[in-house]
Amino acid sequence: MHSIRMMTIADHDAVVRLMKETPGVMFRDADSQESTARYLQRNPGLSFVCEVDGQLVGCIMCGHDGRRGYLQHLIVLPAHRRKGIANALVESCVDELEKLGIFKSHVDVMKTNTLAAAYWESQGWKLRSDIDRFSLVRSGAANA
Ligand SMILES: CC(C)(COP(=O)(O)OP(=O)(O)OC[C@H]1O[C@@H](n2cnc3c(N)ncnc32)[C@H](O)[C@@H]1OP(=O)(O)O)[C@@H](O)C(=O)NCCC(=O)NCCS
């Protein structure tokens, strides 16, 4: 039986392990302990982990800008997939966002991550073809 609970900074190492072990998920400097602590502090109660028998088997991070929610790092260990864990994690985020008055959320998916795309699409998330994302990286921050 799995249980979902709020993510804290104490989960950082385990979440990084999940990220590094999962094809399709990028690990960036922005995922450092310091940046993650800042993220969780700015977005309290919006990121979650899933445990089975005390082992962390899934995670999701979520923030907002006051208008829209932004989900990232949805990961479930292969052995625990197709048991509804991702859906429970996503639901926890969108429920909390709704309590804050935020009813629309976005998620970025690498174009090569067809598995993730299939998941989001199957759950009713609409692939945007009307938007291109432009990003700026300040010089000297190659892995930002
Ligand atoms: C995508 C991922 C998070 C799904 O996790 P999960 O716990 O297996 O998903 P759930 O069990 O909640 O799936 C619920 C429903 O979503 C759909 N779904 C799940 N995985 C799917 C897949 N690979 N392809 C198509 N639909 C999928 C199914 O309809 C499923 O219901 P069903 O099992 O009754 O058919 C997991 O495969 C994963 O960690 N992938 C690697 C990490 C990743 O790419 N994350 C996304 C970054 S944006």
Side-chain angles (χ1 to χ4, degrees), residues 22-25 57 59 71-78 80-90 107-110 113-123:
T22 307
V25 176
V57 303
C59 62
L71 273 54
Q72 51 219 306
H73 298 341
L74 171 64
I75 304 171
V76 176
L77 274 180
H80 297 272
R81 289 183 188 167
R82 305 307 284 252
K83 292 176 181 164
I85 292 177
N87 275 2
L89 288 164
V90 172
V107 62
D108 285 338
V109 179
M110 298 296 291
N113 194 349
T114 52
L115 185 152
Y119 166 76
W120 290 110
E121 194 161 20
S122 78
Q123 297 310 300

Side-chain angles (χ1 to χ4, degrees), residues 6-9 12 15 19 28-48 59-66 68-74 93 97 100 102 105-108 133 144:
M6 213 176 80
M7 176 180 167
T8 74
I9 194 59
H12 180 255
V15 166
M19 290 175 66
R28 304 283 197 192
D29 291 346
D31 299 304
S32 69
Q33 169 110 7
E34 185 188 357
S35 298
T36 303
R38 190 168 57 221
Y39 183 90
L40 295 175
Q41 204 166 20
R42 282 172 57 96
N43 299 286
L46 292 177
S47 296
F48 295 89
C59 62
I60 192 166
M61 291 178 65
C62 173
H64 70 86
D65 59 14
R68 304 298 189 213
Y70 298 90
L71 273 54
Q72 51 219 306
H73 298 341
L74 171 64
C93 293
L97 287 169
L100 298 172
I102 294 169
S105 297
H106 303 297
V107 62
D108 285 338
R133 166 168 280 200

Side-chain angles (χ1 to χ4, degrees), residues 1-3 50-57 80:
M1 188 60 191
H2 71 255
S3 65
C50 176
E51 289 176 322
V52 173
D53 297 331
Q55 186 202 358
L56 196 144
V57 303
H80 297 272

